[in-house]
Each structure stands twice: as C-alpha cells, then as structure tokens.
Amino acid sequence: MTQMLPPGSTIGILGGGQLGRMTALAAARLGYRCIVFSPEADSVAAEVSAGHVRGDYADSAALARFAAQVDVVTYEFENVPEAAVAECLRHRPVRPGVRPIHVAQHRLREKEFFRAAGIGTADYQAISSMADIAAATALPGILKTCTDGYDGKGQVRVSNRTELAAAWDRIGRRDCILEGLVDFLCEISAIVARGADGTTRCFPIGLNEHRDGILRTTTVPSGLPAGTLSTAERYGAQVAASLDLVGLVAVEMFVTKDGSVLANEMAPRPHNSGHWTIDACVTSQFEQLVRAICGLPLGAVDVLAPSRMLNLIGDEADGWHRFLEEPSARLHLYGKGQARPGRKMGHVTYVQLPGGHRPA
Ligand code: AMP
C-alpha cells in the first residue's frame, strides 16, 4: 500500500517543459511544492516551481541531490533516459515507475505490449536488416524509428519494398518498425489515472485532429458511438493495469471505418490531448496525476461543458490578444521565449458557455 503524501509534501518532476509546468500549477493549488530536474536553464516548469535542479540526465550525483529534496518523483516526458529514472528510484518512489517508460520509449516493445494486453494494433513488423525489408508485407505503411520519434518525427510513408529500402537507408539503418497504413475514420485518446489502490478512472475520450504529425485539436464530447467509447476506455484501463502503474497514461488510438479501435502509442504522463480537462472537467489531468502519485483519492472526471482545445504552434501564439477577447476562449501560454515552427507555445480551450455558443 502506497503511503499518502499530504499537502505540503514535495513532488520532483523530471523534465522542464509545459507538461511539468501545468503539473506544478495543479500541485500548487493543492498545497504541494514541486522541484524540477532538467538540463536547460530556462525551464518553463521550473519558472512556476519551488526549485530547480539543473543537471544532465546522466549525472547521477545531480539526480541524487534532486531526489534528496523531494518525497516522490514523476516525469513529464517519456524520453527521459531510463537510467535517470532508475537512479531516482534508488532514493525515492518514482511514479509511474521505470517499466512504463521502458515500454513507451520503444515503438516495437510498445506494440508487443499492446498485443500481449489483448489490445488491437495496426499490422507491424520489425525492420532491422535488408532481410526484414525483403520479407516486409505491412505495405503500404509507415516506417518509424523505434526510439526518439515524436510528433511525426522519424517517420516515412512507403508504398513498396523499394521505397522502404530507400527510406530505411535515409533513416540511417536504425532499428525501425514498419506499420501498415491504417485507413482510419478518426483518432482518439484515452487518458487513464490509476491510483495507489489500483482504482482506475478514464477521462472522457477526446477526438483528436492532427496536422503535419502534430496534434491540432481535441474535441469533447467526441460524438462517437457508446460502444467505441467503452472499448477505448477499456483499452486505456487495461494498459494502466498491465503496466501496474500509479499515475497517468495516455493511449492514442485509431477508430477504423468498421468501428474497431486500434492502439497506436502511449505516453505514461499527462498528454496534450488532455489539456481540455483544465477548463472543462471537474478534475484536470494534472491534478489527477498529483492525486494518484501522492496516494490521494482520484477526482471525478465529469465534463463541465463541451469544449475544443486548439494548440498554438509557432507564431500562432502571437494572436494572444484575439483569444483574450473571445468570451468562450480560455488561453494558456507556456512562457516559452522563442516561437519556432512546430514548437508548442500554448493552447486555447473553447468552452461552451451556459446559454452561449457551441465551441468554435
Ligand atoms: P505517431 O508519432 O505514431 O503518433 O504518429 C503521428 C501521426 O501519424 C498519427 O497521429 C497519425 O495521424 C499518423 N499515423 C501514425 N501511424 C499511422 C498508421 N499506422 N496508419 C495511419 N496513420 C498513422
């Protein structure tokens, strides 16, 4: 049984980005302090936290210094090196733990995990040699590097073995996975919290639209049939339970034209597609993470109002004034100095106001 960490305790966050920032803000509301560990000096999470330990993820002395100052450790991105998480675990509890990132950091392991948990995926095969390419059948498909890919990076669409061989060469002959192209109706995500006592709670399923491989909008309610939603929720809960995690996990899924649900990838942390929960759900995903890792009861996940979250990418955040003028728009800016193409600078959640307009 996990010991409860009462308000006043300190949460350590590995990673200094916007997910850590929003976690720290939610933690502060419940009376917790956060200390961020990250290599960069200008962490947007550290900016709103009680402390910042700046260090490299390979620096075990710095990690030990960080761990000594906190009561529990969590992480805000799944590509934090596994060894850094294991180092923290030598000193303090780490939730959701080492195994969730071990699985989530590697696309092949992740797909194998989904299948073993009884969850459908696209057809896939490992691509690590010319022999694998000669035997490839998941075509047309998408070649993805097993590690270090996110937001559509490290991915190439291929329609035959010749293109596959050329793409694998361009990728530097790294370990890859070839996934059959899914002709999906839509994309959705299940964000599930699992408490210290094994209770799971799934946020209402969001309908996600991507552009250039990056999430563009999430809409809740999704408008999908109840059967599809309950399958997605069940898959989310199965993932959380199979990983035996305490914390949050987001599972991104495809809904195919025949109504089946296929898992694409997962992230054992708060997720961009759950940002709407800050403004339109009884409990936000960030508060839910704090509750789970501190051994508190999980919060209710009822929707307060229909909403649509829009990511502000690159210079789109320069339009902040316009969003402030819209009554139904709730603006969140991450305080990042420089807008670069593809960089997530903030988001807006359009919330249906009582008696007002539906979200734009
Ligand atoms: P990922 O990095 O795996 O989340 O992929 C980014 C986006 O590429 C997804 O959200 C989908 O829009 C698209 N995508 C990824 N894998 C597939 C697939 N097997 N079939 C069709 N589209 C995909």
Side-chain angles (χ1 to χ4, degrees):
M1 181 70 200
T2 305
Q3 192 199 342
M4 189 181 76
L5 297 171
S9 305
T10 304
I11 298 167
I13 303 174
L14 291 167
Q18 67 268 18
L19 300 175
R21 178 184 177 94
M22 290 183 271
T23 301
L25 292 170
R29 200 176 133 250
L30 290 181
Y32 290 85
R33 303 167 71 245
C34 288
I35 296 185
V36 168
F37 184 98
S38 73
E40 70 277 3
D42 57 345
S43 152
V44 297
E47 211 170 76
V48 301
S49 295
H52 184 196
V53 176
R54 196 178 163 201
D56 194 274
Y57 291 114
D59 182 347
S60 46
L63 287 164
R65 234 182 324 113
F66 160 73
Q69 297 174 51
V70 306
D71 298 297
V72 63
V73 174
T74 192
Y75 40 79
E76 62 109 48
F77 74 122
E78 70 276 18
N79 282 326
V80 55
E82 202 180 312
V85 178
E87 177 61 32
C88 291
L89 191 58
R90 291 183 50 222
H91 309 279
R92 290 289 181 271
V94 178
R95 301 182 190 131
V98 179
R99 181 153 175 257
I101 54 162
H102 177 76
V103 175
Q105 278 179 0
H106 194 278
R107 287 188 188 273
L108 193 57
R109 281 202 287 263
E110 190 176 52
K111 287 281 189 300
E112 284 165 356
F113 165 82
F114 285 139
R115 290 277 178 103
I119 297 170
T121 68
D123 285 342
Y124 66 88
Q125 43 209 133
I127 300 289
S128 305
S129 67
M130 288 307 289
D132 290 336
I133 289 175
T137 53
L139 290 162
I142 304 188
L143 183 70
K144 303 179 180 181
T145 52
C146 282
T147 55
D148 301 328
Y150 64 95
D151 284 348
K153 294 190 179 74
Q155 300 191 9
V156 191
R157 284 189 182 219
V158 290
S159 45
N160 53 47
R161 287 184 194 142
T162 311
E163 284 181 20
L164 175 60
W168 189 56
D169 219 42
R170 270 202 311 281
I171 279 179
R173 299 190 164 221
R174 296 174 55 186
D175 284 345
C176 284
I177 180 172
L178 175 67
E179 290 179 21
L181 199 62
V182 177
D183 184 17
F184 56 79
L185 184 67
C186 62
E187 295 185 80
I188 58 176
S189 50
I191 300 175
V192 177
R194 185 162 180 273
D197 62 356
T199 313
T200 58
R201 205 160 276 180
C202 184
F203 284 99
I205 303 292
L207 178 69
N208 301 330
E209 270 180 79
H210 292 80
R211 190 192 289 172
D212 302 328
I214 303 178
L215 184 68
R216 184 73 189 148
T217 64
T218 298
T219 305
V220 176
S222 64
L224 290 168
T228 306
L229 298 178
S230 66
T231 303
E233 285 175 16
R234 182 161 47 80
Y235 282 178
Q238 268 167 246
V239 167
S242 304
L243 289 170
D244 196 24
L245 64 72
V246 175
L248 275 193
V249 64
V251 186
E252 292 185 80
M253 296 175 250
F254 300 121
V255 180
T256 64
K257 290 180 178 150
D258 66 4
S260 41
V261 178
L262 304 175
N264 177 32
E265 62 177 0
M266 68 174 178
R269 54 159 172 80
H271 195 260
N272 195 167
S273 64
H275 290 358
W276 66 271
T277 58
I278 302 173
D279 299 304
C281 192
V282 175
T283 308
S284 79
Q285 62 167 346
F286 302 100
E287 177 177 335
Q288 200 75 306
L289 172 65
V290 170
R291 286 174 176 245
I293 65 176
C294 292
L296 309 179
L298 298 180
V301 290
D302 303 76
V303 171
L304 295 170
S307 67
R308 173 171 292 159
M309 188 282 312
L310 171 71
N311 262 339
L312 301 179
I313 295 167
D315 61 12
E316 287 170 345
D318 296 348
W320 56 267
H321 197 271
R322 178 166 62 83
F323 298 119
L324 289 176
E325 281 173 344
E326 290 185 40
S328 67
R330 305 272 301 151
L331 178 65
H332 300 255
L333 296 175
Y334 305 148
K336 296 182 181 176
Q338 233 193 340
R340 285 192 297 272
R343 192 172 195 209
K344 292 174 180 168
M345 303 299 290
H347 71 268
V348 163
T349 305
Y350 292 94
V351 181
Q352 186 177 330
L353 300 174
H357 306 291
R358 291 193 68 78

